[in-house]
């Protein structure tokens, strides 16, 4: 129910996310929220996907902001802690984090509060070179399989993701991407956030 894409490319980490929020049981759109957030004290960023508290759409972002971490280790620790709190309150979720790395320039790590991949157990950080949230096994995505992706590839992939329904963990199928499409670039010297376009306006045009 969220666009959550990530890519490592030429020593930088990229994240993509939308802003639309959907009711997890019905698939009805209930608003827009900040599902991406960046650090204030050093260059990191994160995207959240999963269940969102309908009474507080920015709760996860605020909970991460309340933990002013200063290192990669503390960022991962804080992400796990926030996901545990979310799970205790009955909400499933994942965080895809991008942050500087002295070895590779930047790093992408995904953490979930449930087992969601054969190699990704709940609360165990998993480093990835790329992550595409939906459609990566679909017939329409075959042109992207088996090759090294670029940021431009992911941008074009997002337009296809937004056009194709996908099955959600909550048992409904639908188009779960909408609102602003944001691209976040994380490098050792800083974070850049770009609003690529508004998907609702593009569909209406």
């Amino acid at each position: 129910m969220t666009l959550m894409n990530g890519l490592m490319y030429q020593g930088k980490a990229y994240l993509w996310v939308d802003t639309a929020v959907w009711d997890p049981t019905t698939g009805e759109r209930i608003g827009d929220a900040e599902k991406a957030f960046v650090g204030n004290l050093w260059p990191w960023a994160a995207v959240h996907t999963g269940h969102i508290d309908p009474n507080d759409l920015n709760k996860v972002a605020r909970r991460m902001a309340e933990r002013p971490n200063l290192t990669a280790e503390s960022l991962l620790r804080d992400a796990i802690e926030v996901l545990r709190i979310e799970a205790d309150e009955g909400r499933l979720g994942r965080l895809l984090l991008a942050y500087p790395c002295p070895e590779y320039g930047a790093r992408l790590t995904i953490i979930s509060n449930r087992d969601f991949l054969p190699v990704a157990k709940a609360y165990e950080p998993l480093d990835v070179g790329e992550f595409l949230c939906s459609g990566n096994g679909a017939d329409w995505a075959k042109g992207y399989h088996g090759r090294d992706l670029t940021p431009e590839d992911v941008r074009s992939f997002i337009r296809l993701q937004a056009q194709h329904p996908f099955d959600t963990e909550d048992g409904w199928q639908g188009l779960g991407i909408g609102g602003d499409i944001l691209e976040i670039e994380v490098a050792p010297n800083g974070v850049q956030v770009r609003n690529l376009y508004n998907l609702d306006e593009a569909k209406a045009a």
Side-chain angles (χ1 to χ4, degrees):
M1 297 185 297
T2 291
L3 172 65
M4 175 189 263
N5 291 347
L7 180 69
M8 285 293 305
Y9 184 74
Q10 296 183 347
K12 298 177 181 179
Y14 292 82
L15 300 171
W16 290 268
V17 66
D18 68 332
T19 57
V21 178
W22 315 85
D23 185 299
T25 53
T26 66
E28 178 186 0
R29 185 165 172 179
I30 58 175
D32 288 79
E34 296 178 11
K35 295 182 282 186
F37 30 94
V38 302
N40 293 321
L41 303 178
W42 62 289
W44 66 267
V47 170
H48 171 254
T49 184
H51 297 158
I52 293 179
D53 185 341
N55 299 310
D56 187 352
L57 298 182
N58 297 310
K59 178 175 283 185
V60 172
R62 189 180 67 255
R63 282 175 163 167
M64 287 295 292
E66 290 169 348
R67 294 160 169 80
N69 55 74
L70 292 169
T71 65
E73 292 77 11
S74 60
L75 174 65
L76 299 182
R77 179 201 65 215
D78 292 347
I80 292 169
E81 182 178 323
V82 168
L83 287 172
R84 286 191 185 279
I85 295 171
E86 289 290 301
D88 289 344
E89 295 175 355
R91 289 183 295 275
L92 301 177
R94 294 190 290 263
L95 285 168
L96 182 61
L97 303 124
Y99 50 95
C101 169
E103 185 175 1
Y104 300 109
R107 190 178 293 267
L108 277 174
T109 303
I110 190 163
I111 308 172
S112 175
N113 60 13
R114 64 169 290 177
D115 297 346
F116 77 103
L117 289 173
V119 294
K121 302 302 181 183
Y123 306 112
E124 292 184 5
L126 176 69
D127 290 342
V128 294
E130 66 180 55
F131 184 83
L132 303 175
C133 64
S134 65
N136 49 355
D139 289 342
W140 57 261
K142 286 182 178 178
Y144 296 87
H145 295 170
R147 61 188 178 93
D148 294 333
L149 298 178
T150 67
E152 187 57 38
D153 289 330
V154 180
R155 294 178 197 121
S156 65
F157 188 77
I158 290 168
R159 292 188 180 274
L160 294 175
Q161 286 178 301
Q163 296 171 13
H164 291 84
F166 57 90
D167 294 322
T168 72
E169 296 174 341
D170 297 297
W172 57 271
Q173 185 185 73
L175 296 171
I177 300 173
D180 291 329
I181 304 298
L182 305 179
E183 177 180 278
I184 305 167
E185 177 185 319
V186 178
N189 59 347
V191 177
Q192 296 184 49
V193 180
R194 293 180 280 269
N195 190 333
L196 298 183
Y197 53 89
N198 183 282
L199 187 60
D200 302 332
E201 294 174 357
K203 288 179 177 178

